[in-house]
Amino acid sequence: KMTSKSSHSRAGAIAGYNLGTIQNCINYVDISRPENNGGTGGIVGDMNGTGAARVDGCVNYGSISSTYTANVAMGGIVGYFTNDKNPMSVTNCTNFGSLSSKGNYLGGIIGRTDYIKTNKITIDNCDNFSNLTLDTVKTSKMGGILPELGAHILKNSNNFGNVSLLNSPTDNVTFGGLTGYSGTTTVENCNNYGSVSKVEREESTSTQANVGGLIGVTYQTTIKNSNNYGSISYEGTANYIGGITGWFKDTGTRTVINCGNFGDISTTGD
C-alpha cells in the first residue's frame, strides 16, 4: 500500500511526475491520500506537456482513495495534466481499481485536464471497470472516464463502473457515465454501462445539478455512435437530467448522431 501525506505533491504508483513515455506498466498497489492538494493516479500523478508525455497500454488494479476535502484530482490511470506545450495522450489503458474521494475531481481514467488549453489530450481505447464514489459538498465534476473533457479528444472508450455522488453539494455539480463536462470537441464510439446516481443524504442546496448517461453538460460537442446502457437516478433537486447529456449548453454546434439511451431514468425531489 502507498500512503502520501504531503498536501501538494503528485502521487502515482509508477511515476509521480511524467514528461515522457510510460508504456505497458501495471499497478497492483492501493493508494491512499489523507492529505492531497495535487494529482493522484494509479499509474501517474502528474502528466506534463513540456515533454509531450504519453501513457500507453497500462493497467491499474489498485484502489485509490482520499479523505481530503480541498482540491483533489484523482484518476485510475492519471491524476492531473499540467502544462500544454505539446500534445499528450492516454491510450489503450484500463482501470480495475475502485476510486473514492471527498474532493471535487474524480475520473475512472483521468482526474483533471481543465488547465490544458492549447494542445489537446487524446484519450483513445481506454476502459474503466471499477466504481467511482464522490462524497463531497463542494462544486464538483465526475465521470466514468474523466470529470471534464473540455476540447480534448475522447474515442473508442467505455465505462463499466457505477458513478455515484453521495452528498449534496452547495454549488454546481456535473457528472456522467463518461464525463461531467465536454466542450468544443467530438466524442465518438464511446459507451457507458454503469449506473449514474446521486443519493440524497441530507436536504439538497445545490444551485445547479446536471447529470447525463454519457455527459453531464455538453457545450458545442458532437456525440457520434455512442450509447448509454446504465440507469440514471437522482435523489433531490436536479437542474437537468438526460440519457445522453443532461444539458446542451448555450449556442453553437451541438450534434448527436447514431446515439441511443437504453437506461432507465428516475428522479425524486423538485
Side-chain angles (χ1 to χ4, degrees), residues 180-196:
Y181 174 86
S182 64
T184 307
T185 188
T186 298
V187 174
E188 188 170 8
N189 299 327
C190 295
N191 299 289
N192 174 58
Y193 297 90
S195 65
V196 180

Side-chain angles (χ1 to χ4, degrees), residues 64 74-76 95 97-101 106-108 128 130-134:
I64 307 172
M74 183 180 294
N95 176 57
S98 63
L99 295 105
S100 62
S101 175
L106 186 64
N128 173 58
S130 197
N131 297 334
L132 285 72
T133 304
L134 188 63

